[in-house]
């Protein structure tokens, strides 16, 4: 595995790939290489990123940081092979970089990398894309648990979610047995109860929501605006109305309604 192969296999955007490869071939990057390994450990990644920033210098689109993280992803390929994890999961997991850059374009209008604080999960081997969903090994208190994430490009019909969950349970039982049989949890705006009044009963979101026992709500979190409306800073009255959900959610918010995030535990992998 090398950087060019990885960029091609995850279909990294052409203009970004060109900048990444060019930077990876500079003498400055080779001087920095010995310092990037800490990005692959969740206990050291935050400090490593802080130490790298002055070494990288000006990095307005964070292409240099992206190059460091993609290089770590290349190195992580051997770890996947040693564990016997199939290539499909490796490339699907690392395709997060392409997705993050596209999400940034949708919000800001330009390709850039703004998710280095999150992508450490993928390159440190604690989060995996298995089918339509992502699964992160976490701790709930002192107990191991698996946190479910819903990628923005997921087609999460009930049937596809069933297949993903089934594969995930087999995956963790085989490769991380300490997580076998542990709770699957989710923290997301998709679990906000108010969505039942904004979406039709046969909505994929509602079907997904019904898989969980909702245990906690946080109405102070407005991150859903970024995901639904593809913006961060617009006043409520200026939010777009290009989809049925956008129209209903905007009206709900303008009327003083709230949404926030919900936290739940999976009831059953086959609950529809």
């Amino acid at each position: 595995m090398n950087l060019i192969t990885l960029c091609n296999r995850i279909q990294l955007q052409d203009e970004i790939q060109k900048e990444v490869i060019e930077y990876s071939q500079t003498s400055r990057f080779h001087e920095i290489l010995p310092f990037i390994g800490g990005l692959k450990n969740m206990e050291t990644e935050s400090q490593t990123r802080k130490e790298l920033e002055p070494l990288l210098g000006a990095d307005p689109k964070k292409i240099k940081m992206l190059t460091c993280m993609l290089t770590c992803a290349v190195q992580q390929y051997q770890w996947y092979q040693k564990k016997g994890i199939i290539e499909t999961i490796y490339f699907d997991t690392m395709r997060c970089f392409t997705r993050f850059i596209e999400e940034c374009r949708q919000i800001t209008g330009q390709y850039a990398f703004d998710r280095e604080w999150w992508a450490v999960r993928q390159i440190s081997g604690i989060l995996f894309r298995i089918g339509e969903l992502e699964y992160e090994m976490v701790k709930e208190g002192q107990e191991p648990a698996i946190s479910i994430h819903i990628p923005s490009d997921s087609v999460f019909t009930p049937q596809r979610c069933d297949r993903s969950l089934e594969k995930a349970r087999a995956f963790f039982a085989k490769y991380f047995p300490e997580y076998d049989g542990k709770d699957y949890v989710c923290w997301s705006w998709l679990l906000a109860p108010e969505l039942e009044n904004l979406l039709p009963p046969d909505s994929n979101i509602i079907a997904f929501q019904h898989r969980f026992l909702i245990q906690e709500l946080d109405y102070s979190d407005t991150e859903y605006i970024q995901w639904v409306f593809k913006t961060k800073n617009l006043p409520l009255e200026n939010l777009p109305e290009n989809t049925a959900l956008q129209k209903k959610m905007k009206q709900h918010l303008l009327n003083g309604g709230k949404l926030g995030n919900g936290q739940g535990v999976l009831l059953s992998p086959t609950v529809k």
Side-chain angles (χ1 to χ4, degrees):
M1 179 59 57
N2 58 49
L3 190 57
I4 293 176
T5 299
L6 176 63
C7 289
N8 287 333
R9 291 290 297 271
I10 66 174
Q11 298 177 306
L12 194 69
Q13 291 85 355
D14 289 345
E15 67 179 72
I16 297 295
Q17 179 171 340
K18 182 175 183 292
E19 293 182 62
V20 164
I21 299 304
E22 286 179 352
Y23 179 65
S24 74
Q25 295 171 345
T26 64
S27 59
R28 184 57 178 155
F29 178 70
H30 287 280
E31 292 172 2
I32 291 169
L33 266 176
F35 302 97
I36 71 174
L39 294 172
K40 295 184 289 182
N41 186 318
M42 288 297 290
E43 294 182 0
T44 60
E45 59 82 16
S46 179
Q47 183 61 33
T48 300
R49 283 189 288 118
K50 289 178 183 178
E51 293 171 354
L52 278 174
E53 286 176 358
L55 297 177
L56 296 174
D59 194 16
K61 297 195 298 180
K62 296 193 176 178
I63 300 300
K64 297 176 183 178
M65 181 63 76
L66 173 63
T67 306
C68 292
M69 300 193 87
L70 287 171
T71 300
C72 287
V74 169
Q75 295 169 357
Q76 197 71 349
Y77 180 78
Q78 290 185 336
W79 179 84
Y80 271 75
Q81 284 199 313
K82 287 179 179 179
K83 291 192 74 71
I85 300 173
I86 62 173
E87 278 195 347
T88 299
I89 291 178
Y90 170 79
F91 287 116
D92 285 352
T93 299
M94 299 310 170
R95 200 167 284 117
C96 69
F97 291 100
T98 310
R99 185 175 76 249
F100 294 156
I101 291 166
E102 173 58 25
E103 289 167 355
C104 184
R105 185 200 64 78
Q106 291 175 357
I107 293 170
T108 68
Q110 74 163 350
Y111 286 130
F113 179 58
D114 63 356
R115 216 74 58 81
E116 73 281 3
W117 56 274
W118 183 263
V120 295
R121 291 163 171 80
Q122 281 86 349
I123 63 174
S124 62
I126 66 166
L127 185 154
F128 305 91
R129 175 81 179 256
I130 304 174
E132 299 297 335
L133 305 173
E134 290 179 325
Y135 302 87
E136 178 185 0
M137 294 182 289
V138 298
K139 288 288 182 68
E140 289 283 300
Q142 297 300 314
E143 281 295 309
I146 297 170
S147 181
I148 300 175
H149 304 288
I150 307 91
S152 62
D153 61 352
S154 172
V155 182
F156 67 124
T157 63
Q159 296 77 16
R160 292 197 181 199
C161 285
D162 283 342
R163 287 198 294 273
S164 176
L165 286 160
E166 181 181 356
K167 290 179 179 179
R169 291 185 180 276
F171 175 87
F172 287 105
K174 181 176 181 179
Y175 299 110
F176 302 94
E178 64 273 28
Y179 285 85
D180 186 26
K182 300 301 182 180
D183 283 344
Y184 282 61
V185 298
C186 184
W187 181 264
S188 172
W189 68 271
L190 296 170
L191 300 188
E194 287 77 9
L195 290 172
E196 291 237 38
N197 299 320
L198 303 178
L199 293 167
D202 60 352
S203 160
N204 288 334
I205 291 178
I206 300 304
F208 183 79
Q209 191 176 102
H210 286 172
R211 294 175 182 269
F212 295 86
L213 173 64
I214 308 300
Q215 298 178 316
E216 188 177 343
L217 297 172
D218 178 8
Y219 287 108
S220 67
D221 194 324
T222 59
E223 193 177 54
Y224 59 88
I225 290 179
Q226 173 181 335
W227 301 116
V228 176
F229 296 98
K230 310 300 181 186
T231 184
K232 292 182 180 180
N233 303 313
L234 284 179
L236 290 182
E237 59 270 20
N238 293 337
L239 292 175
E241 299 182 43
N242 299 320
T243 69
L245 177 58
Q246 286 178 344
K247 291 176 183 178
K248 290 185 177 181
M249 189 179 291
K250 178 178 177 179
Q251 193 59 52
H252 174 74
L253 296 172
L254 287 173
N255 289 339
K258 296 182 179 180
L259 198 70
N261 280 348
Q263 188 273 336
V265 60
L266 188 70
L267 294 168
S268 165
T270 58
V271 172
K272 302 292 194 297

